[in-house]
């Protein structure tokens, strides 16, 4: 069971308490207590001012509700500490008593310690915060501010039973902090926050800030489809009641099912109708994984149509491929619509995306030979290699980038700002600390500033998204060029556009890396080592190298370029059907390398070391390929290697994910959103 703490303390504009304002046929507090009872909350502790406790004695004396009269914010925090240290091992959910939202708010928070977040500034008081990869990294409060924000705190906090002692300790520490007067020379932006009466009394924001700075993992759960309001006046309460009456929850759920950040083609040509397909799939009782498998099956049909080499087959394959891509969007939208995420589902979706795309490449290559008499297997292998190399660079860069941000130590609770580097001490001695992440005097930083300026003109944002050639644009290009021209044209466009997008992304990442002073953290170094896929020789050499560089994120992509490029070169030198066997081998290797990434992200660990060693590693495979070339068995050697490695990598991966699926844990919405495609 779960206990709740409701703060009926925020002042109203008329001098009363916001939780006691008239709302519909009662008050926000009455409505919220009813919702908590319906959600199975065992005991609700209401912390309120003595006057409200007396005025609402009949309501607050109901079964399961305990009242804690409190004189001020320091007393509020002491009450929280006492409740948290009380009997029982239940978790806690903390809410503002004036909150008006839907009953699903507790379901939206999911499991573990989590804070409800709002994507845009609401009409009612809310403190900003910064979330990264589904975790709150910094939060503002009446005593703290954040330099860079990504959203706002929705005044709902769930605390896991394991973190309840940390909450109690934070509340006790904060009780002493808020008893001190605000220091002289307080930051101007924080003074503006003090003008908001409801925000100034926000104990919940203080608790979130304290937990985050203490190192407690607080997940960020975006409200998105939920109605949210914190009325602090009679007029605002009436307005919120009208808005809630006219609130279309189904429409909001559909809107929330669509990824908040996607490519141009997906956003404007697929998502406007695919969300309705997702709703239809939900009504049929389909699961996201079933839709993922269906998308894969439709993709196989598209590849088979391309393989005919006939114009009708190319046109039909183009249309079917768009259906497959639409279904690929639907599986994620269905997961968000039904709130049914899983780590296995995330892996299945990601791996099937890659396999589907490369099967289409193979179908186009077969169709080119059968229908046009042109061998494009080398171009197909080149397109596969380019896309995989680009993805490896993206994966490694962003994981290093996020790990570097996450490795920045949290400032002490006594420091108002969230940036590191300020001297320890009392509030009055702490000034705004300078940003320590970028060198603002460097040429690279100036280039970044210019890039941000170029983002301002209308349409530039979408142009940048199109340049990097995401999956929606790739599938659109494949369908269009295959239907109107030839497979050879398709691969040339894929290589040219993909090359331009790769250079653009690489230049941007290098610019950020040069501007950033921080080295690659230890956690990211382990990730990069797993992505290299070293064999025995490379492992022995790596063991002698101890220095780390901020450019280490380039290594996995460079290694993939070296391995795939040399394998393709040996196939070209061997002539005959070697490029076909090389394509099959590269597809198997790409599966292994993508599987490594997704297992690191979803399972927290790469495949066992023996898998890379048994597979030869990138170094061993290159050596064996050149030996095969010298003894004139390249085609047979690559074909046999593709089969054996498929059994090794595929078998071990399926075994690993079968074990993981039995003990699968739900993903957060933020995990589902995190995609470097």
């Amino acid at each position: 069971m779960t206990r709740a703490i409701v703060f009926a303390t925020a002042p109203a504009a008329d001098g009363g308490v916001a939780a006691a304002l008239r709302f519909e046929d009662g008050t926000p507090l009455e409505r919220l207590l009813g919702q908590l009872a319906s959600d199975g909350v065992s005991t609700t502790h209401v912390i309120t001012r003595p006057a409200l406790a007396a005025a609402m004695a009949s309501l607050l004396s109901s079964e399961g509700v305990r009242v804690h009269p409190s004189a001020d914010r320091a007393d509020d925090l002491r009450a929280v500490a006492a409740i948290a240290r009380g009997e029982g091992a239940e978790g806690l959910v903390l809410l503002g008593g004036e909150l008006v939202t839907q009953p699903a708010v507790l379901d939206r928070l999911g499991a573990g310690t989590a804070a409800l977040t709002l994507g845009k500034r609401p009409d009612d008081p809310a403190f900003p915060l910064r979330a990264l990869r589904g975790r709150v990294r910094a939060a503002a409060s009446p005593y703290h501010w954040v330099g860079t924000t990504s959203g706002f705190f929705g005044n709902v906090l769930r605390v896991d039973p394991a973190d309840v002692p940390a909450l109690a300790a934070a509340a006790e520490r904060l009780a002493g902090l808020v008893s001190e007067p605000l220091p002289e020379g307080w930051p101007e932006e924080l003074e503006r926050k003090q003008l908001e009466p409801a925000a100034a009394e926000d104990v919940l924001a203080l608790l979130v800030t304290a937990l985050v700075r203490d190192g407690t993992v607080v997940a960020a759960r975006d409200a998105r489809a939920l109605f949210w309001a914190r009325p602090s006046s009679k007029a605002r309460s009436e307005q919120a009641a009208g808005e809630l009456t006219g609130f279309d929850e189904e429409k909001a759920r559909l809107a929330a099912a669509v990824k908040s950040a996607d490519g141009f083609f997906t956003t404007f040509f697929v998502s406007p109708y695919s969300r309705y397909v997702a709703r239809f799939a939900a009504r049929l009782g389909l699961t996201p994984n079933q839709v993922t498998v269906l998308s894969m099956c439709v993709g196989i049909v598209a590849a088979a149509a391309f393989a005919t080499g006939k114009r009708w087959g190319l046109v039909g394959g183009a249309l079917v491929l768009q259906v497959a891509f639409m279904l690929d969007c639907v599986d994620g939208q269905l997961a968000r619509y039904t709130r049914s995420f899983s780590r296995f589902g995330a892996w299945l979706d990601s791996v099937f995306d890659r396999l589907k795309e490369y099967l289409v490449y193979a179908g186009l290559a077969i169709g080119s030979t059968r229908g046009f008499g042109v061998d494009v297997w080398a171009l197909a292998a080149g397109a596969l290699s380019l896309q995989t190399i680009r993805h490896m660079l993206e994966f490694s860069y962003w994981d290093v980038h996020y790990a570097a941000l996450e490795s920045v130590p949290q400032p002490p609770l006594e420091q108002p700002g969230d940036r590191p580097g300020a001297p320890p001490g009392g509030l009055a001695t702490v000034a705004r600390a300078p940003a320590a992440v970028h060198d603002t005097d460097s040429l690279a930083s100036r280039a970044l500033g210019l890039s941000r300026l170029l983002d301002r003109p209308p349409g530039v944002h979408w142009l940048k998204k199109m340049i990097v050639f995401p999956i929606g644009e790739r599938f659109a290009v494949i369908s269009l060029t295959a239907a109107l021209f030839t497979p050879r044209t398709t691969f040339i466009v894929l290589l040219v556009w993909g090359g331009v997008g790769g250079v653009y992304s690489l230049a941007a990442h290098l610019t950020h890396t040069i501007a950033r002073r921080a080295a690659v953290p230890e956690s990211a170094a382990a990730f990069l080592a797993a992505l290299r896929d070293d064999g025995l020789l490379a492992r022995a050499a790596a063991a002698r190298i101890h220095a780390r560089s901020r450019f280490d994120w380039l290594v996995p992509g460079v290694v993939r370029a070296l391995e795939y490029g040399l394998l393709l070169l040996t196939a070209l030198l061997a002539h005959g059907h070697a490029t076909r066997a090389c394509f099959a081998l590269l597809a198997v290797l790409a599966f292994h390398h993508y599987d490594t990434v997704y297992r690191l992200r979803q399972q927290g660990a790469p495949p066992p070391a023996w898998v890379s060693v048994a597979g030869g590693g990138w170094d061993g495979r290159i050596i064996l390929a050149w030996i095969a070339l010298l003894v004139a068995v390249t085609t047979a050697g690559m074909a046999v290697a593709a089969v054996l490695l498929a059994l090794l990598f595929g078998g071990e991966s399926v075994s690993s994910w079968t074990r993981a699926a039995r003990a699968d844990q739900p993903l957060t919405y933020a995990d589902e959103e995190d995609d470097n495609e």
Side-chain angles (χ1 to χ4, degrees), residues 334-524:
L334 177 61
R336 286 182 283 273
Y337 183 77
T338 59
R339 313 302 313 155
S340 53
F341 304 126
S342 70
R343 299 183 186 279
F344 174 73
W347 171 82
L348 188 71
D349 180 39
S350 301
V351 168
F352 274 18
D353 279 352
R354 306 287 82 80
L355 293 178
K356 181 166 49 190
E357 184 170 0
Y358 298 154
L359 278 174
V360 167
Y361 289 0
L364 287 168
I366 294 171
S368 180
T369 303
R370 296 180 62 181
F372 300 90
V374 179
D375 189 328
V376 294
W377 282 102
L379 293 177
L384 183 154
S385 299
L386 175 62
Q387 195 55 46
T388 306
I389 293 165
R390 286 192 58 196
H391 274 149
M392 292 302 120
L393 287 170
E394 290 293 309
F395 291 139
S396 56
Y397 171 79
W398 286 110
D399 273 84
V400 167
H401 174 72
Y402 288 135
L405 292 177
E406 291 172 350
S407 66
V408 175
Q410 287 287 341
L413 189 59
E414 293 76 14
Q415 177 177 315
D418 67 320
R419 296 189 183 278
L427 289 172
T429 66
V430 180
R432 182 191 292 268
V437 179
H438 291 90
D439 178 2
T440 55
D441 295 328
S442 69
L443 180 62
S445 292
R446 294 173 185 174
L448 291 177
L450 177 61
S451 177
R452 295 187 186 101
L453 286 176
L454 293 176
D455 276 338
R456 295 181 180 178
V460 172
H461 168 75
W462 292 112
L463 180 61
K464 285 186 172 184
K465 280 186 170 288
M466 292 175 65
I467 288 175
V468 298
F469 209 24
I471 189 170
E473 275 70 6
R474 291 201 305 277
F475 276 28
V477 161
I478 291 172
S479 292
L480 188 63
T481 56
L484 298 180
F485 305 104
T486 67
R488 184 174 182 273
T489 303
T490 298
F491 286 119
I492 290 175
V493 175
L494 287 173
L495 287 167
V496 172
W497 194 342
V500 171
V503 170
Y504 171 80
S505 298
L506 183 61
H509 296 338
L510 285 172
T511 302
H512 279 87
T513 303
I514 294 170
R516 187 184 302 118
R517 293 179 176 179
V520 174
E522 186 64 37
S523 58

Side-chain angles (χ1 to χ4, degrees), residues 559-582:
V559 169
R560 293 288 77 76
L562 180 66
E563 178 185 10
Y564 290 18
L566 288 177
L567 289 176
L568 183 54
L569 177 60
T570 58
L572 291 172
L573 293 174
H575 302 294
H577 295 304
T579 51
R580 303 183 183 188
C582 182

Side-chain angles (χ1 to χ4, degrees), residues 35-360:
Q35 289 176 331
L36 292 174
S38 299
D39 284 343
V41 172
S42 57
T43 305
T44 299
H45 299 266
V46 178
I47 298 176
T48 185
R49 300 295 173 247
L52 180 64
M56 303 185 70
S58 59
L59 168 67
L60 299 181
S61 63
S62 60
E63 184 178 355
V65 178
R66 300 178 185 177
V67 184
H68 302 262
S70 172
D72 53 28
R73 191 164 46 197
D75 276 355
D76 297 345
L77 289 162
R78 295 187 189 98
V80 170
I83 295 168
R85 296 194 187 282
E87 60 182 25
E90 300 103 336
L92 278 169
V93 57
L94 299 90
L95 314 91
E98 71 285 359
L99 180 66
V100 176
T101 185
Q102 294 156 297
V105 63
L106 297 188
D107 292 338
R108 187 65 191 85
L109 286 173
T113 298
L116 188 73
T117 62
L118 311 170
K120 60 182 180 179
R121 181 183 292 276
D123 295 331
D124 299 313
F127 279 100
L129 53 74
R130 182 174 69 254
L132 180 68
R133 302 182 93 180
R135 176 180 173 183
V136 179
R137 295 296 305 176
S141 80
Y143 279 70
H144 306 88
W145 55 272
V146 294
T148 304
T149 65
S150 64
F152 295 84
F153 177 45
N155 232 48
V156 183
L157 172 67
R158 178 191 286 278
V159 180
D160 188 77
D163 293 328
V164 168
L167 176 72
E172 290 173 344
R173 188 177 178 189
L174 283 168
L177 174 66
V178 301
S179 298
E180 302 176 4
L182 288 176
E184 207 174 313
W186 200 250
E188 183 181 335
E189 58 267 43
L190 199 56
E191 289 179 356
R192 286 200 296 270
K193 288 295 181 187
Q194 295 299 317
L195 299 178
E196 294 281 1
E201 291 293 329
D202 208 328
V203 171
L204 269 170
L206 277 166
L207 290 170
V208 170
T209 302
L211 288 173
V212 169
R213 293 199 178 189
D214 189 48
T216 302
V217 176
V218 180
R221 306 285 167 77
D222 197 326
R224 295 196 76 183
L226 289 175
F227 179 85
W228 186 95
R230 289 181 65 194
S232 58
S233 67
K234 179 181 178 181
R236 180 66 185 110
S237 181
E238 293 174 351
Q239 179 186 352
E243 292 172 351
L244 182 60
T245 301
F247 184 73
D248 190 337
E249 184 175 355
E250 178 63 17
K251 182 178 179 181
R253 285 184 64 196
L254 278 177
V258 178
K259 286 176 67 172
S260 57
D262 220 327
F264 176 83
F265 181 81
T266 305
T267 299
F268 293 102
F269 293 94
V270 180
S271 293
Y273 68 89
S274 62
R275 68 185 73 183
Y276 298 103
V277 179
R279 181 174 63 182
F280 180 69
R283 291 174 177 173
L284 289 178
L286 297 177
T287 67
N289 289 353
Q290 289 171 338
V291 176
T292 299
V293 174
L294 178 61
S295 174
M296 182 67 191
C297 293
V298 176
I300 293 173
V301 173
F306 286 138
T308 64
K310 306 295 184 182
R311 180 56 59 187
W312 66 264
L314 295 175
V315 173
L319 296 174
V320 174
L321 181 60
Q322 289 307 302
V323 175
F325 179 65
M326 180 270 294
L327 291 172
D328 182 45
C329 296
V330 167
D331 59 7
Q333 292 168 357
L334 177 61
R336 286 182 283 273
Y337 183 77
T338 59
R339 313 302 313 155
S340 53
F341 304 126
S342 70
R343 299 183 186 279
F344 174 73
W347 171 82
L348 188 71
D349 180 39
S350 301
V351 168
F352 274 18
D353 279 352
R354 306 287 82 80
L355 293 178
K356 181 166 49 190
E357 184 170 0
Y358 298 154
L359 278 174
V360 167

